[in-house]
Amino acid sequence: MSSAIDSVMTETRVFGPFERVAKDAHVSGMDAYRALYDEAADDLEGFWGRQARENLIWSKPFTKVLNESNAPFYTWFEDGELNVSANCLDRHLNTPVANKTAIIFEADDGQVTQVTYKELYERVCKLANALKSLGYKKGDRSIIYLPMSIEAVVAMQACARLGITHSVVFGGFSSKSLHERCMDVGATLVITADEQKRGGRNIPLKPAVDEALSMPGTEAVRHVIVYRRTGADIAWKEGRDLWLHDVLEGQPAECEPVAVGAEHPLFILYTSGSTGKPKGVQHSSGGYLLSALLTMRWTFDIKDSDIFWCTADVGWVTGHTYIAYGPLAAGATQIMFEGVPTYPTPARFWQMIERHKCTIFYTAPTAIRSLIKASESNDEHHPKKFDLTSLRIIGSVGEPINPEAWMWYFTHVGRERCPVVDTWWQTETGSHILTPLPGATPLKPGSCTLPLPGIEIGIIDESGEEVPPGKGGFLVIKKPWPSMIRTIWGDPERFKKSYFPPEAKGYYLAGDGAQRDKDGYVWIMGRIDDVLNVSGHRLGTMEVESALVAHELVAEAAVVGRPDSTTGEAVVAFVVLKRPVPQGDEAAEIARQLRDWVGKEIGPIAKPREIRFGENLPKTRSGKIMRRLLRVVAQNETITQDVSTLENPAILDQLTKSY
Ligand code: WT7
């Protein structure tokens, strides 16, 4: 843990309650929230046990709610059995939901496709049968590398139906990242597409799979199932590659769901940590699904009549919990979007809200900030030009939302009538942890407000002591919760070290700095480790550094984040080459090569915004890179810190020019 973060909270505006939402909300008013919160706090096991019995369908009921005997490897509902896909689809079959639209899919080019719950069920069953006939079964691991599509949801659900643990890899990740994940999970199956369509462009996917599987360590992969999205010409490996439409041919539209233990790993999702190697966050079946479903109700107040839209990609946890699982378990109608917010124009989101009469809209601060800029430069793209009256709740996720962006979102998108739910959570938490409840919690712009029922948080200092209100510290979660990370796949020691270090005294250490104000509202101050948040995506500085030093020209590299008004943070890389410091055109050319290299090693999101060359990096006499100094240098600010411990102060002058 690094030093505590202190900053003074000055925000005094409060909005709400919102009567329009509160009047028939699942949790209506602060008294109802407190009652639920206290019920959980007084009897954690009783509370979660009741929720799990009332909200999930169990093929074998559990007798034990929480097992703490092997802490911090907590288990929930461990002797119960269920099937996640049956809890998302089959449960609706004999109800009016069966013929309700499950997904309204809007393609990049605007074409709309819809499926009902019954149709989705049949598609999932057909694919599950196909996978079964290829020999895949419970306990196997698959990699899903698909674009935003109904097929992606079908693939995830089909795996869940058979007890195959999936690991979705975001389509923006490179073949190298894909290879790493494929090996780490020990995948035997890959499901992908020929290409994806984003922003009017076709972007190949299958070639990255071919490349990943040509590298050693992935020999266990028996099949690559390919969804034909664009019809592009692609290389084909006979015996291994299969078209999705071919494997579905003739498959029956019913497939018995395979009951799994509540702790059975539903998925593994990789996320950046403070070392070079991404962590495979392992999630459960029962506890995960329970929280996914409950937060649909608590945070989004989901109703039968809602049209829910989460703009995240299924490659991130937000797309798992609030596209592939939560909305389906809740029987909701949701919008799914293939494209990007700026194509064909930056009014795309507003047009889509209007066209599909979206009622709950959930997006990231990065998108909001870029759309603010776009609508300021062209009035035609401003949300006021569109009919957004269908909206009743708007949400934010992925990074702190600055009060100005919050106010714009609230005023121009929510028209001051929709509560903004600023949801704080992580890949590891599986579902929302801190968030307003739309029919209850008064809002303060920039605060994710209060913990959900069943969640007890704390803010502690380096010695594990609770800090008083108004003082910064480390955010911890004090009690286990059902959708929490179970372990890091294949690395339980790293799980313990990362999330339950001795300093945190048995609490879950989130990795974020935070403080509470006098009302107990939580304000997130950003990461406390070497993890950046670029456009709402987590990126380890070490990962980018490892990628850079793997380039033949690079001797040493240090990567830091710089605050950025659109992307939250931007990657700035300080690089020492194995040759003299380049200047002018040569420097620009090498910077371009390095940027492309990082794009290939990790993915385009990791490309450094700026590269700065020096003959060395600022180091202490003991040889430690002084990152705090580099952060100041990256912001082009004058150094006010003490540099007396610096071995080579002259180096700082070299590092001011960026390419
Ligand atoms: C990190 C987790 C949660 C799904 C998407 C990101 C930051 C997330 C907020 C928020 C302030 C936030 C934190 C957290 N973060 N939501 N509402 N306010 N910060 O998941 O990639 O696992 O990243 O994102 O720093 O630790 P993730």
Side-chain angles (χ1 to χ4, degrees):
M1 299 199 283
S2 65
S3 64
I5 298 136
D6 282 306
S7 105
V8 184
M9 268 6 297
T10 50
E11 183 61 59
T12 52
R13 288 169 289 191
V14 181
F15 298 94
F18 296 82
E19 222 11 76
R20 196 167 63 104
V21 175
K23 66 178 192 315
D24 59 356
H26 287 295
V27 184
S28 179
M30 279 308 265
D31 289 346
Y33 161 71
R34 281 197 204 95
L36 207 56
Y37 191 89
D38 292 344
E39 181 199 336
D42 293 345
D43 178 10
L44 197 72
E45 286 197 49
F47 176 77
W48 288 120
R50 171 172 78 80
Q51 296 291 357
R53 270 186 293 272
E54 286 175 5
N55 292 294
L56 296 182
I57 296 151
W58 296 87
S59 29
K60 175 173 170 253
F62 56 88
T63 61
K64 178 136 193 79
V65 175
L66 169 65
N67 184 345
E68 302 186 89
S69 63
N70 195 22
F73 300 93
Y74 299 99
T75 62
W76 287 89
F77 322 116
E78 62 180 18
D79 62 345
E81 287 181 8
L82 79 174
N83 179 277
V84 168
S85 161
N87 269 278
C88 292
L89 300 168
D90 309 37
R91 75 185 302 165
H92 305 305
L93 289 183
N94 296 316
T95 77
V97 176
N99 294 316
K100 178 181 171 178
T101 302
I103 302 176
I104 303 168
F105 176 75
E106 183 163 317
D108 193 53
D109 64 7
Q111 208 181 334
V112 176
T113 320
Q114 309 205 5
V115 281
T116 64
Y117 270 90
K118 180 83 195 308
E119 288 162 349
L120 190 63
Y121 161 83
E122 291 179 356
R123 283 173 67 169
V124 169
C125 285
K126 284 186 183 175
L127 180 56
N129 280 325
L131 298 182
K132 210 154 73 172
S133 66
L134 290 167
Y136 295 99
K137 56 179 191 316
K138 175 171 152 184
D140 291 344
R141 274 91 54 205
S142 67
I143 288 278
I144 296 177
Y145 188 60
L146 281 171
M148 284 293 283
S149 51
I150 295 173
E151 283 71 11
V153 174
V154 169
M156 293 162 83
Q157 287 282 344
C159 287
R161 198 162 186 89
L162 299 181
I164 299 170
T165 301
H166 62 67
S167 185
V168 182
V169 177
F170 173 57
F173 277 125
S174 65
S175 57
K176 189 84 188 298
S177 300
L178 188 60
H179 172 250
E180 225 171 48
R181 286 156 174 75
C182 221
M183 270 201 311
D184 198 71
V185 291
T188 50
L189 167 70
V190 176
I191 307 178
T192 189
D194 51 359
E195 294 188 313
Q196 57 178 331
K197 274 166 108 76
R198 282 166 73 83
R201 293 191 307 139
N202 291 2
I203 307 161
L205 284 175
K206 172 71 164 43
V209 174
D210 292 336
E211 224 176 287
L213 297 187
S214 70
M215 301 180 211
T218 52
E219 296 76 13
V221 173
R222 296 202 307 276
H223 297 104
V224 176
I225 298 180
V226 188
Y227 159 48
R228 186 185 271 157
R229 172 66 189 97
T230 65
D233 259 343
I234 50 170
W236 203 254
K237 190 165 170 185
E238 282 307 328
R240 184 196 71 181
D241 298 350
L242 301 165
W243 285 113
L244 176 65
H245 53 261
D246 286 341
V247 300
L248 293 177
E249 189 70 43
Q251 293 295 347
E254 295 214 340
C255 172
E256 193 57 36
V258 174
V260 299
E263 285 294 311
H264 182 72
L266 176 64
F267 67 86
I268 297 158
L269 187 60
Y270 286 82
T271 191
S272 296
S274 42
T275 74
K277 193 173 181 278
K279 306 187 261 202
V281 173
Q282 179 180 321
H283 276 290
S284 68
S285 296
Y288 170 80
L289 191 67
L290 177 64
S291 298
L293 172 55
L294 288 174
T295 49
M296 284 302 297
R297 239 177 255 158
W298 288 339
T299 310
F300 296 122
D301 188 43
I302 196 79
K303 300 273 170 52
D304 200 40
S305 53
D306 277 313
I307 313 279
F308 177 79
W309 184 14
C310 165
T311 69
D313 193 283
V314 286
W316 310 110
V317 74
T318 311
H320 281 58
T321 309
Y322 299 109
I323 295 178
Y325 293 109
L328 299 183
T333 296
Q334 67 174 321
I335 299 166
M336 197 176 175
F337 177 40
E338 180 177 38
V340 298
T342 48
Y343 177 83
T345 77
R348 184 71 182 262
F349 277 0
W350 323 135
Q351 279 164 350
M352 283 183 61
I353 291 171
E354 183 179 278
R355 182 177 313 135
H356 302 298
K357 303 209 168 17
C358 170
T359 61
I360 305 169
F361 180 64
Y362 189 37
T363 197
T366 283
I368 297 166
R369 287 191 298 260
S370 77
L371 298 177
I372 294 175
K373 284 191 185 158
S375 64
E376 275 167 359
S377 63
N378 182 346
D379 209 40
E380 287 310 302
H381 302 149
H382 197 284
K384 71 182 174 212
K385 300 273 177 173
F386 300 85
D387 179 5
L388 306 185
T389 48
S390 57
L391 288 175
R392 59 183 203 98
I393 294 163
I394 56 179
S396 172
V397 59
E399 53 186 312
I401 178 163
N402 46 310
E404 304 74 57
W406 193 103
M407 282 306 299
W408 186 91
Y409 193 36
F410 177 66
T411 309
H412 298 295
V413 180
R415 312 273 158 92
E416 296 178 24
R417 15 186 321 272
C418 303
V420 177
V421 287
D422 174 5
T423 59
W424 180 91
W425 59 297
Q426 309 175 294
T427 306
E428 294 87 341
T429 68
S431 60
H432 302 151
I433 294 292
L434 285 153
T435 174
L437 299 189
T441 320
L443 309 173
K444 300 186 191 183
S447 169
C448 56
T449 74
L450 301 168
L452 284 174
I455 303 291
E456 194 188 328
I457 61 129
I459 297 174
I460 61 169
D461 63 18
E462 260 130 68
S463 55
E465 295 301 318
E466 197 89 30
V467 301
K471 200 124 177 69
F474 308 113
L475 178 65
V476 293
I477 307 177
K478 293 179 156 181
K479 299 265 171 63
W481 66 101
S483 66
M484 71 189 294
I485 174 176
R486 294 307 197 260
T487 186
I488 292 176
W489 177 258
D491 200 348
E493 274 313 305
R494 191 173 176 201
F495 166 76
K496 278 206 274 195
K497 253 176 60 190
S498 306
Y499 305 109
F500 293 91
E503 312 90 275
K505 298 199 164 153
Y507 300 153
Y508 168 85
L509 182 71
D512 278 25
Q515 63 174 285
R516 263 193 282 216
D517 66 18
K518 59 176 184 356
D519 301 322
Y521 275 42
V522 178
W523 301 77
I524 300 292
M525 324 298 296
R527 299 288 306 186
I528 54 167
D529 49 12
D530 292 323
V531 172
L532 307 182
N533 193 321
V534 180
S535 300
H537 302 315
R538 245 159 89 170
L539 198 59
T541 53
M542 284 270 286
E543 256 174 280
V544 186
E545 288 167 9
S546 312
L548 284 167
V549 296
H551 190 279
E552 56 180 11
L553 291 178
V554 178
E556 207 178 359
V559 166
V560 301
R562 189 188 60 202
D564 182 274
S565 65
T566 306
T567 57
E569 278 185 292
V571 176
V572 179
F574 295 89
V575 172
V576 181
L577 297 178
K578 292 174 183 163
R579 55 163 90 171
V581 177
Q583 307 290 341
D585 288 351
E586 193 203 0
E589 171 54 25
I590 297 177
R592 193 190 57 77
Q593 279 179 29
L594 295 182
R595 228 174 250 124
D596 286 352
W597 174 262
V598 173
K600 287 214 181 72
E601 288 283 294
I602 304 173
I605 48 168
K607 285 186 182 182
R609 178 81 58 83
E610 277 184 18
I611 295 188
R612 300 186 182 194
F613 298 101
E615 66 193 36
N616 205 337
L617 297 171
K619 289 182 187 153
T620 61
R621 279 172 230 282
S622 59
K624 224 173 142 269
I625 298 172
M626 294 184 76
R627 284 165 193 283
R628 64 181 172 89
L629 271 186
L630 287 177
R631 270 182 224 116
V632 179
V633 176
Q635 289 185 56
N636 302 317
E637 284 174 2
T638 24
I639 292 165
T640 52
Q641 283 123 311
D642 177 17
V643 292
S644 59
T645 53
L646 201 58
E647 165 82 18
N648 47 357
I651 220 74
L652 294 173
D653 293 334
Q654 290 181 1
L655 298 172
T656 52
K657 197 156 171 47
S658 61
Y659 293 94

